[in-house]
Amino acid sequence: MLLRLRVALPDRPGSLGQVARTLGVVGADIVSVVVLERVGGRAVDDFTVVWPASGPVDRVLTGLAAIPGVRVDGVWRGTELSEPSSGREVALIGQVAANPDHGLATVVDAAPALFGADWAVAIQIGSDWAGGGARAQAWTESSVVSASWRAPVVPPQVDIAPLRPRALSAADGVHLAVAPFQRGGLVLVVGRGGADGDAGAPPFHGSEVERLAQLVGATASVLGERLAGPGLAEPGKAGSSVAGTPAPAGTSPSTWTA
């Protein structure tokens, strides 16, 4: 299986090699390393490794904890490699442009794998969504218009106004990253962790939020007014979804609304 590790380590020669050697010794095969930040003599890296499904993850954590100055900030299962420089976001925007009628659903379906998340939803919130005055109503008066596999019927409710790209954490431990499309009150929300996800998953890093915002901005540029078209739900109304995108099997219109 793929295992993801968020590791904070000293930003000095040899530190990364020491972490890599330790992962090899405990039996983890490194397939990807993404540098999230390098600040104040410290670095934060995301490692994706192949790990035996039957192997105890504690063995990895114990090995890394023995390295001076190294701290594991998160460990969670992965489904695909997350490589910001791989061009996958560019390829995704190409798919959106090739089939714009299903563009929003395409982005929502792809987002969890791109950002190491458990699920993603596009929600449409009230008409006063852009202002700070929407703080109390923005989330509760929203409708889910597209959802990925494993998305909760009712997404965690947190304060997302005033809207801007950022990371949040809900009371139940679910970590969220949100980015508004700046059209039609639409917001892309990706989530990981919590009771129904991987409990060891870390909050979204600022670099991940920046990537999410770039993806949302590119999607909005390609789809334009389609994001505010008649195929989207009216805020607060149940039973609507993106044109051509059915609600998940087993759900009814009355349950597919926040």
Side-chain angles (χ1 to χ4, degrees), residues 10 115 127 173 181 190:
F115 296 96
S127 58
F181 287 89
V190 294

Side-chain angles (χ1 to χ4, degrees), residues 132-252:
R135 189 174 298 275
Q137 297 83 22
W139 192 276
T140 56
E141 293 182 1
S142 67
S143 295
V144 174
V145 295
S146 185
S148 73
W149 180 63
R150 295 182 64 190
V153 173
V154 180
Q157 296 194 11
V158 294
D159 180 11
I160 61 172
L163 283 177
R164 63 181 182 273
R166 55 178 168 154
L168 303 162
S169 293
D172 61 357
V174 176
H175 302 301
L176 307 170
V178 302
F181 287 89
Q182 306 292 357
R183 284 182 172 83
L186 280 175
V187 184
L188 182 61
V189 183
V190 294
R192 66 185 177 212
D196 297 325
D198 226 325
F204 286 91
H205 190 270
S207 63
E208 293 177 296
V209 175
E210 183 178 354
R211 282 177 52 216
L212 182 69
Q214 291 172 349
L215 176 64
V216 165
T219 302
S221 296
V222 172
L223 295 181
E225 292 307 311
R226 289 177 183 270
L227 292 176
L232 297 179
E234 294 180 31
K237 294 291 184 66
S240 299
S241 62
V242 175
T245 307
T251 62
S252 65

Side-chain angles (χ1 to χ4, degrees), residues 21-163:
R21 284 193 299 272
T22 299
L23 289 174
V25 168
V26 300
D29 182 15
I30 300 174
V31 293
S32 173
V33 181
V34 176
V35 179
L36 298 178
E37 71 175 34
R38 300 176 68 182
V39 178
R42 299 282 292 175
V44 178
D45 298 346
D46 271 0
F47 291 82
T48 302
V49 303
V50 175
W51 182 252
S54 59
V57 177
D58 287 349
R59 193 166 70 198
V60 179
L61 302 181
T62 301
L64 293 176
I67 306 174
V70 169
R71 183 185 73 244
V72 178
D73 289 340
V75 53
W76 70 112
R77 292 175 184 266
T79 56
E80 296 184 31
L81 297 183
S82 178
E83 298 181 86
S85 60
S86 67
R88 293 172 60 200
E89 286 95 336
V90 175
L92 176 59
I93 294 301
Q95 295 176 34
V96 171
N99 191 1
D101 287 342
H102 297 273
L104 182 59
T106 298
V107 170
V108 170
D109 285 342
L114 286 174
F115 296 96
D118 295 321
W119 52 266
V121 295
I123 62 172
Q124 185 181 31
I125 62 179
S127 58
D128 57 351
W129 63 280
R135 189 174 298 275
Q137 297 83 22
W139 192 276
T140 56
E141 293 182 1
S142 67
S143 295
V144 174
V145 295
S146 185
S148 73
W149 180 63
R150 295 182 64 190
V153 173
V154 180
Q157 296 194 11
V158 294
D159 180 11
I160 61 172
L163 283 177

